[in-house]
């Protein structure tokens, strides 16, 4: 838990990373930043999808509509938080000359999105109205 708290502190104080190890090749730091931005685009798309489900499917049963919308919104929030945490962890590993951290988060996010997509297919095929 203390490593997580340390990482959260680095989210808001990235200058602290400079004192941790050596400076990596700037191309790797820029690639890390591009990956971070890609995760943020994914988070924004999930959040937008959550709002779209809620706003544009008024005929869908309330429980289904809210459930699907909240699943997409929660996935977007988790994706955004995971993006910054992963970026900081990767930058720290590069500065220390360590292997980059691995994560199960992409697999979990993929499964959540797949479950929501299957639920949406069911809704489209059977047209469950409220």
């Amino acid at each position: 838990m203390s490593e997580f708290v340390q990482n959260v502190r680095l989210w808001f104080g990235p200058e602290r990373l400079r004192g941790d190890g050596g400076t990596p090749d700037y191309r790797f730091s820029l690639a890390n930043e591009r990956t971070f931005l890609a995760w943020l685009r994914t988070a924004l798309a999930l959040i937008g999808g959550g709002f779209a489900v809620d706003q544009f499917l008024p005929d869908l049963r309330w429980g289904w509509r809210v459930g699907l919308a909240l699943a997409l919104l929660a996935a977007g929030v988790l994706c955004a938080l995971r993006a910054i945490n992963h970026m900081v962890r990767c930058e720290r590993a590069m500065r220390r000359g360590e292997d980059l951290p691995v994560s199960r988060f992409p697999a979990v996010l993929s499964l959540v999105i797949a479950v929501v997509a299957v639920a949406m297919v069911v809704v489209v095929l059977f047209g469950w109205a409220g």
Side-chain angles (χ1 to χ4, degrees):
M1 184 65 165
S2 65
E3 183 179 349
F4 177 75
V5 171
Q6 215 172 18
N7 285 340
V8 170
R9 287 182 183 161
L10 291 174
W11 296 0
F12 302 103
E15 65 279 352
R16 294 180 188 174
L17 274 175
R18 290 191 177 136
D20 197 1
T23 302
D25 185 334
Y26 71 92
R27 293 173 292 182
F28 298 126
S29 291
L30 292 174
N32 190 28
E33 184 177 354
R34 285 190 301 274
T35 303
F36 166 72
L37 293 172
W39 278 99
L40 286 185
R41 285 190 300 272
T42 302
L44 287 171
L46 289 166
I47 291 167
F51 281 116
V53 165
D54 185 53
Q55 293 298 308
F56 298 120
L57 298 175
D59 294 333
L60 190 62
R61 285 188 189 165
W62 183 85
W64 277 97
R65 191 179 79 228
V66 170
L68 292 171
L70 287 178
L72 289 168
L73 291 168
V77 168
L78 290 175
C79 190
L81 292 174
R82 182 63 179 132
I84 186 65
N85 190 49
H86 188 71
M87 184 179 122
V88 167
R89 290 175 57 217
C90 286
E91 187 69 25
R92 177 184 278 163
M94 287 188 296
R95 288 182 165 279
R96 292 178 177 176
E98 300 171 350
D99 290 337
L100 294 179
V102 296
S103 174
R104 291 185 194 99
F105 185 75
V108 171
L109 181 62
S110 297
L111 289 173
V112 168
I113 293 171
V115 167
V116 171
V118 168
M120 292 299 294
V121 167
V122 168
V123 166
V124 168
L125 288 178
F126 296 107
W128 288 347

